Amino acid sequence: MSEIIAAILIGIGVLFNLFGCIGLVRFPDVYTRLQAATKCVTLGTCLTLGGAAVYGFAGGFGALGMKSLLCIGFLVITAPTAAHALARGAYKYGVKLKEPTVVDLYQQVEPQPTSIEDEETETA
Amino acid sequence: MRRIAIFIVAYLLWCGLAWPYDQNHIAADGTGTAWDTGSLLLGLGVALLVAILFGGALTNKPKNLFNPLHIFWVIVYLPVFFYYCIKANLQVVYLVLHPDMPIKPGIVKVKTKLTSESGVTALANSITLTPGTLTVDVINDNELYVHWLVVESAEEDKATEIIVNRFEYFLEKIFD
Amino acid sequence: MSSFEVFLYVGIVVLMISIYLCMYRISRGPTAPDRTVAIDILGVILVSFCAVMAIITKRDFYITLAIAWALLAFIGTVGLSKYLEGRGFDE
């Protein structure tokens, strides 16, 4: 029974990770990529660790379960902070908001530096 | 008081990480104990060291940590937060998988009534993990600039109503 | 091999695909912040990878690794974004 719950949690988590990475590739600019990736990948990883915790507590590996729960706590605190720092760093670095953007009120208080040319590399 | 709070939190964290309880330590004839006493004592020493060295710098309101009312509101807040988190993820997955990507991004400005630093931090982190929003910067301790994946309103008041109000009520109870 | 283990190996394959997509974003850019975002996300996905590995091998060692990796990746990301912001670490 515990294996079924763990399998469901891990399956959903892994799929969320995959969708987050598809968003990372498909979205047009840094900020939207950051949104898709941070949200989906954080929740996906938390669910995977939750599956590990269920498996650990039910299967007699107390240490595995407890460490998974602690790791969830660390992730929920650190992931949004890192995303926040990256968004501000990207804005001050000079990355423009791309085409479908409708409004930018942050421009009033923090004028962006001159545009940085896209350093498009043709290696893949 | 502050150092005692840090000591208790550090010791609980040590116990979680080291997990000194293991059934396998009991010998086959029933002798021995499941508790790893060496690890527990080492944890006491390390937690004491942390409390003495860094206890002064880590928290402003140590009493809030053990106030039952605050703990109750944290427990009430978690399911609310989890609900919005799941909703946000389903929305983002829908946007990612939609062939045309119906996004309308922009940076809007919202205001908060929270005063304490940790309260604003918790609000910014909650906003980042919930529907289509990402905090970019905090100015003057109460103005948040938020990147919104699908902008519904660029006006300050309406945006505040949509983004901030669903968390502010709980966070006010927890941190103020 | 039980069906649960087969399921876990399938999960590892899906995580490998996610890591490949991250690698694509790291190699193509186009700007430095894009690469930093992809590196940060790669770190979080590796934590997920560690969790699945811990269940397969039944050792809590991997979760310890995951905790250390998550904290180090966080510090690295904050450092990189401060560098992108173009000022010192002392603010």
Side-chain angles (χ1 to χ4, degrees):
Chain A
M1 185 61 204
S2 70
E3 283 195 352
I4 296 175
I5 297 175
I8 291 172
L9 283 176
I10 292 172
I12 297 175
V14 164
L15 279 182
F16 266 123
N17 274 353
L18 183 64
F19 292 145
C21 287
I22 294 175
L24 190 65
V25 171
R26 280 197 73 195
F27 274 157
D29 67 354
V30 181
Y31 309 97
T32 46
R33 275 173 203 154
L34 196 53
Q35 289 228 22
T38 307
K39 278 193 245 300
C40 286
V41 173
T42 306
L43 183 77
T45 304
C46 284
L47 286 176
T48 315
L49 284 167
V54 168
Y55 180 80
F57 280 128
F61 307 100
L64 204 161
M66 197 64 215
K67 283 177 188 171
S68 304
L69 288 185
L70 278 175
C71 197
I72 291 178
F74 286 140
L75 263 186
V76 169
I77 295 172
T78 58
T81 315
H84 164 78
L86 264 175
R88 208 167 79 145
Y91 197 93
K92 298 215 169 144
Y93 182 77
V95 180
K96 290 274 178 278
L97 287 96
K98 286 271 169 57
E99 188 35 55
T101 300
V102 288
V103 59
D104 182 7
L105 294 177
Y106 193 45
Q107 187 78 44
Q108 297 164 1
V109 288
E110 195 72 51
Q112 261 193 316
T114 49
S115 173
I116 288 189
E117 296 299 319
D118 283 2
E119 342 153 348
E120 187 78 56
T121 49
E122 289 304 327
T123 55
Chain B
M1 180 65 210
R2 182 180 285 181
R3 279 164 208 268
I4 296 171
I6 289 291
F7 174 76
I8 295 172
V9 171
Y11 190 57
L12 287 179
L13 198 60
W14 168 275
C15 286
L17 280 172
W19 198 250
Y21 180 81
D22 193 349
Q23 292 284 351
N24 299 329
H25 288 169
I26 302 177
D29 54 353
T31 56
T33 168
W35 292 92
D36 184 354
T37 6
S39 172
L40 285 173
L41 289 177
L42 184 61
L44 274 181
V46 172
L48 203 63
L49 202 65
V50 168
I52 291 170
L53 285 181
F54 305 110
L58 290 180
T59 173
N60 290 327
K61 295 177 184 167
K63 278 176 189 154
N64 283 3
L65 273 179
F66 303 110
N67 188 334
L69 200 64
H70 285 273
I71 294 175
F72 168 75
W73 279 108
V74 170
I75 292 171
V76 171
Y77 177 63
L78 283 180
V80 176
F81 174 71
F82 197 67
Y83 165 72
Y84 282 115
C85 193
I86 297 279
K87 207 173 127 193
N89 279 280
L90 293 178
Q91 188 203 2
V92 171
V93 168
Y94 167 75
L95 289 177
V96 166
L97 296 183
H98 197 286
D100 302 330
M101 276 199 298
I103 56 174
K104 208 169 74 172
I107 296 181
V108 298
K109 176 182 170 188
V110 296
K111 278 202 170 194
T112 173
K113 293 196 292 278
L114 295 173
T115 50
S116 66
E117 280 182 13
S118 40
V120 175
T121 310
L123 179 68
N125 280 2
S126 302
I127 285 176
T128 299
L129 282 179
T130 50
T133 50
L134 173 91
T135 314
V136 176
D137 204 352
V138 181
I139 292 179
N140 301 334
D141 286 345
N142 67 348
E143 294 174 2
L144 281 76
Y145 287 84
V146 175
H147 184 265
W148 205 349
L149 210 49
V150 183
V151 176
E152 289 168 36
S153 164
E155 290 169 38
E156 196 179 314
D157 296 334
K158 278 194 82 176
T160 305
E161 200 174 298
I162 297 172
I163 296 177
V164 174
N165 282 10
R166 59 190 168 207
F167 301 122
E168 206 168 44
Y169 176 75
F170 298 100
L171 290 173
E172 221 167 13
K173 298 267 194 236
I174 294 174
F175 287 104
D176 289 337
Chain C
M1 194 188 258
S2 68
S3 57
F4 183 57
E5 282 185 6
V6 175
F7 183 84
L8 289 180
Y9 282 111
V10 172
I12 281 203
V13 170
V14 177
L15 283 177
M16 292 270 197
I17 299 172
S18 313
I19 290 175
Y20 175 76
L21 293 174
C22 276
M23 289 291 192
Y24 173 81
R25 185 47 72 198
I26 291 175
S27 67
R28 289 307 291 269
T31 59
D34 283 295
R35 296 194 171 100
T36 317
V37 170
I39 290 169
D40 178 42
I41 297 309
L42 189 58
V44 184
I45 287 178
L46 283 178
V47 171
S48 193
F49 201 89
C50 282
V52 180
M53 284 302 286
I55 301 183
I56 288 178
T57 59
K58 300 185 174 55
R59 283 171 200 274
D60 53 15
F61 162 75
Y62 282 98
I63 301 282
T64 315
L65 202 65
I67 294 175
W69 182 260
L71 294 178
L72 278 177
F74 167 66
I75 293 170
T77 306
V78 172
L80 271 174
S81 57
K82 279 288 174 194
Y83 164 72
L84 289 178
E85 239 172 82
R87 58 181 180 205
F89 292 95
D90 49 15
E91 199 208 9

